[in-house]
Amino acid sequence: MRSFETVVRRDVHRSGRVWCEQALRVLADIDEALVTACAPGAEARWPALYAKARDDGDRSVRTEAFEAMATGRWELADAVWQETDLLLWKPPAAWFSMNAFFVPDGAGRRLRNELVRQLRAPHPPY
């Protein structure tokens, strides 16, 4: 892939249904990893109840959204990535990705948190 190309990451439920899509920008596609980024405002699609919970700030709807996802019942809704800049590092054969989330800090950014995201095998390339 070429740098700055847009790709879509799709998370697939064990049922085979897509439960999340996220537009990512390719920063580097090298032997060691595919490195992508996502900034606030990037297009995404996630379960409608989850989107409603985020929009309304209602934790009970968020719990309902996760319960629906666990049972395989959801509809995807258009959304936008919010609040953090995401840097994602995915080695080609690994069953995980490294995710770093950054927030504004003065004139720059600071690391808010990291996440090692376990992926189910076999995992197709992005």
Side-chain angles (χ1 to χ4, degrees):
M1 287 178 224
R2 293 191 311 245
S3 291
F4 303 110
E5 180 178 356
T6 299
V7 296
V8 177
R9 183 185 84 199
R10 289 180 179 88
D11 295 330
V12 179
H13 186 264
R14 66 181 173 268
S15 67
R17 289 184 59 205
V18 173
W19 67 268
C20 176
E21 297 178 329
Q22 183 177 19
L24 301 170
R25 185 72 60 170
V26 175
L27 300 181
D29 186 4
I30 54 178
D31 290 342
E32 295 80 13
L34 175 62
V35 182
T36 59
C38 183
E43 293 179 44
R45 288 176 18 108
W46 46 58
L49 281 175
Y50 179 75
K52 180 176 178 12
R54 284 189 60 90
D55 291 345
D56 296 350
D58 185 343
R59 303 277 307 168
S60 66
V61 175
R62 185 176 173 151
T63 300
E64 184 181 345
F66 288 127
E67 288 172 0
M69 288 168 53
T71 60
R73 299 181 332 258
W74 69 86
E75 297 299 323
L76 291 180
D78 292 338
V80 294
W81 188 253
Q82 303 171 17
E83 301 170 16
T84 62
D85 289 314
L86 166 64
L87 182 64
L88 188 150
W89 182 83
K90 167 68 177 75
W95 293 0
F96 64 89
S97 64
M98 299 289 296
N99 301 261
F101 299 87
F102 296 86
V103 293
D105 187 17
R109 296 271 191 246
R110 69 173 171 77
L111 180 65
R112 185 189 80 182
N113 65 292
E114 300 172 65
L115 171 69
V116 176
R117 189 170 193 175
Q118 185 73 29
L119 307 169
R120 185 178 67 141
H123 178 63
Y126 289 115

